[in-house]
Amino acid sequence: MLKKIVFASAVLMALTGCSSVVGVVRDKNTSTPISSATVTVMRTSTSTLTDAVGHYALSGMFIPGDTMMINAPGYNIYTGTLRKGVGTEFIDVDLVPKNDK
């Protein structure tokens, strides 16, 4: 019985897309890390803030096609699509300052 429960749990995790997204957010012009940028996976409303050196990490039930949004004051909003459903996806983003065209 325990083997069936463990197997069912593993299948459920694989089907639901237990995963993580990690990366660094930087200024496109200067490559300076951006701290306190908000990183959100929209479908799950999972979000976090970047740390002092621009790093972020999110974990959740993400699936391929989920939209990720990164927002920081003074920068244009970034939106992108997650590709992996299981495992760790690495996404580094260079945000464009709002005054740039």
Side-chain angles (χ1 to χ4, degrees), residues 1-19:
M1 180 64 161
L2 181 59
K3 287 182 182 180
K4 287 182 182 180
I5 292 172
V6 170
F7 177 75
S9 296
V11 169
L12 181 61
M13 284 179 62
L15 292 175
T16 57
C18 184
S19 60

Side-chain angles (χ1 to χ4, degrees), residues 52-67:
V53 290
H55 291 115
Y56 71 90
L58 288 170
S59 294
M61 300 295 190
F62 309 138
I63 58 174
D66 278 350
T67 300

